[in-house]
PDB file of all heavy atoms in Angstrom:
ATOM      1  N   HIS A  17     158.481 228.385  50.481  1.00 96.00           N
ATOM      2  CA  HIS A  17     158.000 227.677  49.314  1.00 96.00           C
ATOM      3  C   HIS A  17     157.610 228.722  48.235  1.00 96.00           C
ATOM      4  O   HIS A  17     158.019 228.640  47.088  1.00 96.00           O
ATOM      5  CB  HIS A  17     157.003 226.731  49.440  1.00 96.00           C
ATOM      6  CG  HIS A  17     157.451 225.485  50.294  1.00 96.00           C
ATOM      7  ND1 HIS A  17     158.288 224.511  49.710  1.00 96.00           N
ATOM      8  CD2 HIS A  17     157.198 224.955  51.651  1.00 96.00           C
ATOM      9  CE1 HIS A  17     158.540 223.598  50.595  1.00 96.00           C
ATOM     10  NE2 HIS A  17     157.876 223.753  51.710  1.00 96.00           N
ATOM     11  N   VAL A  18     156.759 229.647  48.627  1.00 96.00           N
ATOM     12  CA  VAL A  18     156.231 230.570  47.662  1.00 96.00           C
ATOM     13  C   VAL A  18     157.310 231.784  47.349  1.00 96.00           C
ATOM     14  O   VAL A  18     157.238 232.433  46.403  1.00 96.00           O
ATOM     15  CB  VAL A  18     154.833 231.111  48.067  1.00 96.00           C
ATOM     16  CG1 VAL A  18     154.245 232.123  47.084  1.00 96.00           C
ATOM     17  CG2 VAL A  18     153.987 229.970  48.511  1.00 96.00           C
ATOM     18  N   GLN A  19     158.148 231.901  48.378  1.00 95.00           N
ATOM     19  CA  GLN A  19     159.167 233.021  48.269  1.00 95.00           C
ATOM     20  C   GLN A  19     158.408 234.457  48.373  1.00 95.00           C
ATOM     21  O   GLN A  19     158.498 235.182  47.340  1.00 95.00           O
ATOM     22  CB  GLN A  19     160.024 232.915  47.116  1.00 95.00           C
ATOM     23  CG  GLN A  19     161.007 231.611  47.146  1.00 95.00           C
ATOM     24  CD  GLN A  19     162.017 231.538  46.053  1.00 95.00           C
ATOM     25  OE1 GLN A  19     161.566 231.636  44.859  1.00 95.00           O
ATOM     26  NE2 GLN A  19     163.177 231.259  46.355  1.00 95.00           N
ATOM     27  N   THR A  20     157.683 234.579  49.353  1.00 95.00           N
ATOM     28  CA  THR A  20     157.077 235.961  49.724  1.00 95.00           C
ATOM     29  C   THR A  20     157.646 236.448  50.996  1.00 95.00           C
ATOM     30  O   THR A  20     158.008 235.608  51.858  1.00 95.00           O
ATOM     31  CB  THR A  20     155.418 235.835  49.785  1.00 95.00           C
ATOM     32  OG1 THR A  20     155.214 234.839  50.903  1.00 95.00           O
ATOM     33  CG2 THR A  20     154.925 235.015  48.518  1.00 95.00           C
ATOM     34  N   PRO A  21     157.408 237.681  51.221  1.00 95.00           N
ATOM     35  CA  PRO A  21     157.674 238.353  52.630  1.00 95.00           C
ATOM     36  C   PRO A  21     156.899 237.554  53.679  1.00 95.00           C
ATOM     37  O   PRO A  21     155.740 237.123  53.515  1.00 95.00           O
ATOM     38  CB  PRO A  21     157.193 239.775  52.549  1.00 95.00           C
ATOM     39  CG  PRO A  21     157.220 240.066  50.963  1.00 95.00           C
ATOM     40  CD  PRO A  21     156.746 238.803  50.399  1.00 95.00           C
ATOM     41  N   PRO A  22     157.624 237.319  54.799  1.00 96.00           N
ATOM     42  CA  PRO A  22     156.984 236.523  55.906  1.00 96.00           C
ATOM     43  C   PRO A  22     155.678 237.210  56.485  1.00 96.00           C
ATOM     44  O   PRO A  22     154.856 236.388  56.869  1.00 96.00           O
ATOM     45  CB  PRO A  22     158.172 236.475  56.968  1.00 96.00           C
ATOM     46  CG  PRO A  22     159.099 237.688  56.613  1.00 96.00           C
ATOM     47  CD  PRO A  22     158.991 237.713  55.136  1.00 96.00           C
ATOM     48  N   GLY A  23     155.667 238.521  56.547  1.00 96.00           N
ATOM     49  CA  GLY A  23     154.539 239.073  57.077  1.00 96.00           C
ATOM     50  C   GLY A  23     153.299 238.785  56.193  1.00 96.00           C
ATOM     51  O   GLY A  23     152.180 238.648  56.728  1.00 96.00           O
ATOM     52  N   MET A  24     153.415 238.771  54.850  1.00 96.00           N
ATOM     53  CA  MET A  24     152.253 238.452  54.105  1.00 96.00           C
ATOM     54  C   MET A  24     151.825 237.108  54.271  1.00 96.00           C
ATOM     55  O   MET A  24     150.501 236.749  54.284  1.00 96.00           O
ATOM     56  CB  MET A  24     152.584 238.722  52.599  1.00 96.00           C
ATOM     57  CG  MET A  24     151.432 238.807  51.712  1.00 96.00           C
ATOM     58  SD  MET A  24     151.826 239.652  50.180  1.00 96.00           S
ATOM     59  CE  MET A  24     152.782 238.359  49.338  1.00 96.00           C
ATOM     60  N   ALA A  25     152.793 236.133  54.527  1.00 97.00           N
ATOM     61  CA  ALA A  25     152.365 234.754  54.777  1.00 97.00           C
ATOM     62  C   ALA A  25     151.676 234.760  56.211  1.00 97.00           C
ATOM     63  O   ALA A  25     150.683 233.904  56.269  1.00 97.00           O
ATOM     64  CB  ALA A  25     153.586 233.839  54.780  1.00 97.00           C
ATOM     65  N   GLY A  26     152.061 235.446  57.139  1.00 97.00           N
ATOM     66  CA  GLY A  26     151.556 235.426  58.355  1.00 97.00           C
ATOM     67  C   GLY A  26     150.088 236.022  58.466  1.00 97.00           C
ATOM     68  O   GLY A  26     149.231 235.506  59.008  1.00 97.00           O
ATOM     69  N   GLN A  27     150.003 237.137  57.612  1.00 97.00           N
ATOM     70  CA  GLN A  27     148.591 237.652  57.335  1.00 97.00           C
ATOM     71  C   GLN A  27     147.525 236.476  56.818  1.00 97.00           C
ATOM     72  O   GLN A  27     146.459 236.434  57.195  1.00 97.00           O
ATOM     73  CB  GLN A  27     148.625 238.850  56.382  1.00 97.00           C
ATOM     74  CG  GLN A  27     149.468 239.999  56.958  1.00 97.00           C
ATOM     75  CD  GLN A  27     148.490 240.933  57.574  1.00 97.00           C
ATOM     76  OE1 GLN A  27     148.393 240.937  58.697  1.00 97.00           O
ATOM     77  NE2 GLN A  27     148.072 241.942  56.834  1.00 97.00           N
ATOM     78  N   SER A  28     148.199 235.832  55.761  1.00 97.00           N
ATOM     79  CA  SER A  28     147.357 234.955  55.030  1.00 97.00           C
ATOM     80  C   SER A  28     146.796 233.807  55.953  1.00 97.00           C
ATOM     81  O   SER A  28     145.658 233.429  55.966  1.00 97.00           O
ATOM     82  CB  SER A  28     147.976 234.405  53.858  1.00 97.00           C
ATOM     83  OG  SER A  28     148.306 235.388  52.840  1.00 97.00           O
ATOM     84  N   VAL A  29     147.708 233.153  56.785  1.00 98.00           N
ATOM     85  CA  VAL A  29     147.219 232.109  57.614  1.00 98.00           C
ATOM     86  C   VAL A  29     146.417 232.473  58.762  1.00 98.00           C
ATOM     87  O   VAL A  29     145.410 231.801  59.117  1.00 98.00           O
ATOM     88  CB  VAL A  29     148.393 231.230  58.043  1.00 98.00           C
ATOM     89  CG1 VAL A  29     149.187 230.673  56.873  1.00 98.00           C
ATOM     90  CG2 VAL A  29     149.307 232.074  58.959  1.00 98.00           C
ATOM     91  N   LEU A  30     146.672 233.685  59.253  1.00 98.00           N
ATOM     92  CA  LEU A  30     145.880 234.274  60.390  1.00 98.00           C
ATOM     93  C   LEU A  30     144.516 234.576  59.918  1.00 98.00           C
ATOM     94  O   LEU A  30     143.485 234.418  60.720  1.00 98.00           O
ATOM     95  CB  LEU A  30     146.515 235.347  60.944  1.00 98.00           C
ATOM     96  CG  LEU A  30     146.041 235.917  62.405  1.00 98.00           C
ATOM     97  CD1 LEU A  30     145.846 234.818  63.310  1.00 98.00           C
ATOM     98  CD2 LEU A  30     146.895 237.022  62.944  1.00 98.00           C
ATOM     99  N   ALA A  31     144.287 235.198  58.697  1.00 98.00           N
ATOM    100  CA  ALA A  31     143.070 235.607  58.142  1.00 98.00           C
ATOM    101  C   ALA A  31     142.269 234.233  57.883  1.00 98.00           C
ATOM    102  O   ALA A  31     141.006 234.169  58.182  1.00 98.00           O
ATOM    103  CB  ALA A  31     143.244 236.357  56.798  1.00 98.00           C
ATOM    104  N   ALA A  32     142.947 233.209  57.310  1.00 98.00           N
ATOM    105  CA  ALA A  32     142.178 232.068  57.109  1.00 98.00           C
ATOM    106  C   ALA A  32     141.737 231.323  58.266  1.00 98.00           C
ATOM    107  O   ALA A  32     140.597 230.856  58.484  1.00 98.00           O
ATOM    108  CB  ALA A  32     143.064 231.043  56.332  1.00 98.00           C
ATOM    109  N   ALA A  33     142.543 231.417  59.347  1.00 98.00           N
ATOM    110  CA  ALA A  33     142.179 230.847  60.691  1.00 98.00           C
ATOM    111  C   ALA A  33     141.042 231.748  61.310  1.00 98.00           C
ATOM    112  O   ALA A  33     140.103 231.021  61.922  1.00 98.00           O
ATOM    113  CB  ALA A  33     143.448 230.896  61.664  1.00 98.00           C
ATOM    114  N   ALA A  34     140.999 232.993  61.181  1.00 98.00           N
ATOM    115  CA  ALA A  34     139.865 233.746  61.747  1.00 98.00           C
ATOM    116  C   ALA A  34     138.503 233.429  61.036  1.00 98.00           C
ATOM    117  O   ALA A  34     137.491 233.246  61.717  1.00 98.00           O
ATOM    118  CB  ALA A  34     140.210 235.187  61.602  1.00 98.00           C
ATOM    119  N   LEU A  35     138.686 233.187  59.707  1.00 98.00           N
ATOM    120  CA  LEU A  35     137.478 232.772  58.978  1.00 98.00           C
ATOM    121  C   LEU A  35     136.911 231.440  59.542  1.00 98.00           C
ATOM    122  O   LEU A  35     135.827 231.217  59.744  1.00 98.00           O
ATOM    123  CB  LEU A  35     137.748 232.720  57.467  1.00 98.00           C
ATOM    124  CG  LEU A  35     136.577 232.125  56.585  1.00 98.00           C
ATOM    125  CD1 LEU A  35     135.301 232.866  56.761  1.00 98.00           C
ATOM    126  CD2 LEU A  35     137.124 232.063  55.155  1.00 98.00           C
ATOM    127  N   ALA A  36     137.806 230.566  59.802  1.00 97.00           N
ATOM    128  CA  ALA A  36     137.399 229.155  60.294  1.00 97.00           C
ATOM    129  C   ALA A  36     136.900 229.178  61.684  1.00 97.00           C
ATOM    130  O   ALA A  36     136.005 228.414  62.123  1.00 97.00           O
ATOM    131  CB  ALA A  36     138.687 228.201  60.173  1.00 97.00           C
ATOM    132  N   VAL A  37     137.341 230.127  62.431  1.00 98.00           N
ATOM    133  CA  VAL A  37     137.012 230.226  63.952  1.00 98.00           C
ATOM    134  C   VAL A  37     135.797 231.091  64.268  1.00 98.00           C
ATOM    135  O   VAL A  37     135.162 230.817  65.237  1.00 98.00           O
ATOM    136  CB  VAL A  37     138.259 230.569  64.771  1.00 98.00           C
ATOM    137  CG1 VAL A  37     137.885 230.837  66.196  1.00 98.00           C
ATOM    138  CG2 VAL A  37     139.324 229.490  64.787  1.00 98.00           C
ATOM    139  N   GLN A  38     135.591 232.134  63.417  1.00 98.00           N
ATOM    140  CA  GLN A  38     134.648 233.215  63.788  1.00 98.00           C
ATOM    141  C   GLN A  38     133.262 232.690  64.113  1.00 98.00           C
ATOM    142  O   GLN A  38     132.510 233.379  64.867  1.00 98.00           O
ATOM    143  CB  GLN A  38     134.694 234.312  62.774  1.00 98.00           C
ATOM    144  CG  GLN A  38     134.232 233.889  61.390  1.00 98.00           C
ATOM    145  CD  GLN A  38     134.134 234.913  60.353  1.00 98.00           C
ATOM    146  OE1 GLN A  38     134.642 236.093  60.602  1.00 98.00           O
ATOM    147  NE2 GLN A  38     133.769 234.714  59.175  1.00 98.00           N
ATOM    148  N   GLY A  39     132.743 231.637  63.368  1.00 97.00           N
ATOM    149  CA  GLY A  39     131.450 231.081  63.590  1.00 97.00           C
ATOM    150  C   GLY A  39     131.358 230.352  64.777  1.00 97.00           C
ATOM    151  O   GLY A  39     130.247 229.974  65.405  1.00 97.00           O
ATOM    152  N   LEU A  40     132.462 229.889  65.555  1.00 98.00           N
ATOM    153  CA  LEU A  40     132.425 228.981  66.477  1.00 98.00           C
ATOM    154  C   LEU A  40     132.432 229.573  67.901  1.00 98.00           C
ATOM    155  O   LEU A  40     131.719 229.138  68.878  1.00 98.00           O
ATOM    156  CB  LEU A  40     133.581 228.077  66.485  1.00 98.00           C
ATOM    157  CG  LEU A  40     133.734 227.117  65.143  1.00 98.00           C
ATOM    158  CD1 LEU A  40     135.012 226.324  65.087  1.00 98.00           C
ATOM    159  CD2 LEU A  40     132.499 226.309  64.927  1.00 98.00           C
ATOM    160  N   VAL A  41     133.042 230.768  68.105  1.00 98.00           N
ATOM    161  CA  VAL A  41     133.279 231.314  69.429  1.00 98.00           C
ATOM    162  C   VAL A  41     133.119 232.835  69.344  1.00 98.00           C
ATOM    163  O   VAL A  41     133.551 233.544  68.233  1.00 98.00           O
ATOM    164  CB  VAL A  41     134.518 231.022  70.090  1.00 98.00           C
ATOM    165  CG1 VAL A  41     134.626 229.569  70.406  1.00 98.00           C
ATOM    166  CG2 VAL A  41     135.733 231.426  69.285  1.00 98.00           C
ATOM    167  N   ASP A  42     132.696 233.481  70.333  1.00 98.00           N
ATOM    168  CA  ASP A  42     132.784 234.937  70.630  1.00 98.00           C
ATOM    169  C   ASP A  42     133.874 235.017  71.726  1.00 98.00           C
ATOM    170  O   ASP A  42     134.181 234.095  72.361  1.00 98.00           O
ATOM    171  CB  ASP A  42     131.506 235.709  70.926  1.00 98.00           C
ATOM    172  CG  ASP A  42     130.726 236.029  69.797  1.00 98.00           C
ATOM    173  OD1 ASP A  42     131.176 235.841  68.602  1.00 98.00           O
ATOM    174  OD2 ASP A  42     129.643 236.456  69.949  1.00 98.00           O
ATOM    175  N   VAL A  43     134.445 236.172  71.923  1.00 98.00           N
ATOM    176  CA  VAL A  43     135.395 236.386  73.000  1.00 98.00           C
ATOM    177  C   VAL A  43     134.901 237.457  73.972  1.00 98.00           C
ATOM    178  O   VAL A  43     134.422 238.474  73.627  1.00 98.00           O
ATOM    179  CB  VAL A  43     136.779 236.830  72.497  1.00 98.00           C
ATOM    180  CG1 VAL A  43     136.812 238.069  71.746  1.00 98.00           C
ATOM    181  CG2 VAL A  43     137.822 236.914  73.695  1.00 98.00           C
ATOM    182  N   ALA A  44     134.961 237.148  75.320  1.00 97.00           N
ATOM    183  CA  ALA A  44     134.713 238.071  76.419  1.00 97.00           C
ATOM    184  C   ALA A  44     135.920 238.667  76.985  1.00 97.00           C
ATOM    185  O   ALA A  44     136.795 237.790  77.394  1.00 97.00           O
ATOM    186  CB  ALA A  44     133.719 237.305  77.428  1.00 97.00           C
ATOM    187  N   ARG A  45     136.188 239.919  77.098  1.00 96.00           N
ATOM    188  CA  ARG A  45     137.354 240.570  77.575  1.00 96.00           C
ATOM    189  C   ARG A  45     137.022 240.871  78.992  1.00 96.00           C
ATOM    190  O   ARG A  45     136.865 242.154  79.394  1.00 96.00           O
ATOM    191  CB  ARG A  45     137.667 241.789  76.784  1.00 96.00           C
ATOM    192  CG  ARG A  45     137.863 241.525  75.260  1.00 96.00           C
ATOM    193  CD  ARG A  45     138.060 242.675  74.384  1.00 96.00           C
ATOM    194  NE  ARG A  45     137.139 243.738  74.584  1.00 96.00           N
ATOM    195  CZ  ARG A  45     135.954 243.653  73.680  1.00 96.00           C
ATOM    196  NH1 ARG A  45     135.728 242.657  72.858  1.00 96.00           N
ATOM    197  NH2 ARG A  45     135.182 244.687  73.932  1.00 96.00           N
ATOM    198  N   GLY A  46     137.028 239.998  79.836  1.00 91.00           N
ATOM    199  CA  GLY A  46     136.720 240.097  81.271  1.00 91.00           C
ATOM    200  C   GLY A  46     135.360 240.958  81.310  1.00 91.00           C
ATOM    201  O   GLY A  46     134.454 240.448  80.638  1.00 91.00           O
ATOM    202  N   PRO A  47     135.284 241.979  82.174  1.00 91.00           N
ATOM    203  CA  PRO A  47     134.064 242.715  82.273  1.00 91.00           C
ATOM    204  C   PRO A  47     133.903 243.842  81.207  1.00 91.00           C
ATOM    205  O   PRO A  47     132.993 244.634  81.229  1.00 91.00           O
ATOM    206  CB  PRO A  47     134.026 243.307  83.551  1.00 91.00           C
ATOM    207  CG  PRO A  47     135.672 243.621  83.815  1.00 91.00           C
ATOM    208  CD  PRO A  47     136.391 242.511  83.056  1.00 91.00           C
ATOM    209  N   HIS A  48     134.810 243.696  80.272  1.00 86.00           N
ATOM    210  CA  HIS A  48     134.854 244.949  79.248  1.00 86.00           C
ATOM    211  C   HIS A  48     134.219 244.615  78.002  1.00 86.00           C
ATOM    212  O   HIS A  48     134.733 244.910  76.891  1.00 86.00           O
ATOM    213  CB  HIS A  48     136.263 245.393  79.090  1.00 86.00           C
ATOM    214  CG  HIS A  48     136.826 245.906  80.334  1.00 86.00           C
ATOM    215  ND1 HIS A  48     136.500 247.095  80.882  1.00 86.00           N
ATOM    216  CD2 HIS A  48     137.892 245.395  80.967  1.00 86.00           C
ATOM    217  CE1 HIS A  48     137.136 247.307  81.998  1.00 86.00           C
ATOM    218  NE2 HIS A  48     137.984 246.366  82.112  1.00 86.00           N
ATOM    219  N   GLY A  49     133.204 243.860  77.872  1.00 89.00           N
ATOM    220  CA  GLY A  49     132.393 243.489  76.844  1.00 89.00           C
ATOM    221  C   GLY A  49     132.722 242.309  75.950  1.00 89.00           C
ATOM    222  O   GLY A  49     133.850 241.507  76.403  1.00 89.00           O
ATOM    223  N   ARG A  50     131.925 241.800  75.201  1.00 93.00           N
ATOM    224  CA  ARG A  50     132.192 240.610  74.222  1.00 93.00           C
ATOM    225  C   ARG A  50     131.904 240.971  72.876  1.00 93.00           C
ATOM    226  O   ARG A  50     131.335 241.973  72.553  1.00 93.00           O
ATOM    227  CB  ARG A  50     131.270 239.417  74.754  1.00 93.00           C
ATOM    228  CG  ARG A  50     129.755 239.867  74.610  1.00 93.00           C
ATOM    229  CD  ARG A  50     128.862 238.651  74.952  1.00 93.00           C
ATOM    230  NE  ARG A  50     128.871 237.583  73.826  1.00 93.00           N
ATOM    231  CZ  ARG A  50     128.179 236.498  73.894  1.00 93.00           C
ATOM    232  NH1 ARG A  50     127.632 236.234  74.998  1.00 93.00           N
ATOM    233  NH2 ARG A  50     128.246 235.760  72.857  1.00 93.00           N
ATOM    234  N   GLY A  51     132.595 240.180  71.999  1.00 95.00           N
ATOM    235  CA  GLY A  51     132.490 240.438  70.595  1.00 95.00           C
ATOM    236  C   GLY A  51     132.922 239.351  69.703  1.00 95.00           C
ATOM    237  O   GLY A  51     133.449 238.270  70.244  1.00 95.00           O
ATOM    238  N   PRO A  52     132.865 239.421  68.473  1.00 98.00           N
ATOM    239  CA  PRO A  52     133.389 238.447  67.531  1.00 98.00           C
ATOM    240  C   PRO A  52     134.965 238.317  67.629  1.00 98.00           C
ATOM    241  O   PRO A  52     135.673 239.296  68.170  1.00 98.00           O
ATOM    242  CB  PRO A  52     132.970 238.995  66.080  1.00 98.00           C
ATOM    243  CG  PRO A  52     131.963 240.094  66.383  1.00 98.00           C
ATOM    244  CD  PRO A  52     132.360 240.664  67.758  1.00 98.00           C
ATOM    245  N   VAL A  53     135.442 237.332  67.002  1.00 98.00           N
ATOM    246  CA  VAL A  53     136.817 237.051  66.818  1.00 98.00           C
ATOM    247  C   VAL A  53     137.189 237.338  65.370  1.00 98.00           C
ATOM    248  O   VAL A  53     138.367 236.997  64.905  1.00 98.00           O
ATOM    249  CB  VAL A  53     137.315 235.746  67.186  1.00 98.00           C
ATOM    250  CG1 VAL A  53     137.013 235.527  68.760  1.00 98.00           C
ATOM    251  CG2 VAL A  53     136.672 234.585  66.561  1.00 98.00           C
ATOM    252  N   SER A  54     136.339 237.892  64.570  1.00 98.00           N
ATOM    253  CA  SER A  54     136.630 238.251  63.134  1.00 98.00           C
ATOM    254  C   SER A  54     137.843 239.084  63.062  1.00 98.00           C
ATOM    255  O   SER A  54     137.966 239.969  63.985  1.00 98.00           O
ATOM    256  CB  SER A  54     135.446 238.855  62.492  1.00 98.00           C
ATOM    257  OG  SER A  54     134.260 238.005  62.766  1.00 98.00           O
ATOM    258  N   LEU A  55     138.640 239.050  62.069  1.00 98.00           N
ATOM    259  CA  LEU A  55     139.726 239.931  61.793  1.00 98.00           C
ATOM    260  C   LEU A  55     139.759 240.477  60.415  1.00 98.00           C
ATOM    261  O   LEU A  55     139.388 239.665  59.564  1.00 98.00           O
ATOM    262  CB  LEU A  55     141.002 239.159  62.152  1.00 98.00           C
ATOM    263  CG  LEU A  55     141.351 238.644  63.643  1.00 98.00           C
ATOM    264  CD1 LEU A  55     142.400 237.642  63.692  1.00 98.00           C
ATOM    265  CD2 LEU A  55     141.573 239.859  64.475  1.00 98.00           C
TER     266      LEU A  55
END
């Protein structure tokens, strides 16, 4: 619809989703630590 490169659209929705999710969960990578899901 906007006629932009697909990667830029992918970046935009993934960044918005990270903002929406980051306050709800952290992620634990097995025994190798835990941290935010911020991107």
Side-chain angles (χ1 to χ4, degrees):
H17 287 293
V18 184
Q19 296 185 306
T20 62
M24 196 161 73
Q27 296 268 90
S28 293
V29 300
L30 191 51
L35 173 58
V37 168
Q38 66 182 1
L40 302 175
V41 296
D42 281 352
V43 59
R45 305 178 299 278
H48 299 289
R50 58 176 286 177
V53 298
S54 305
L55 294 168

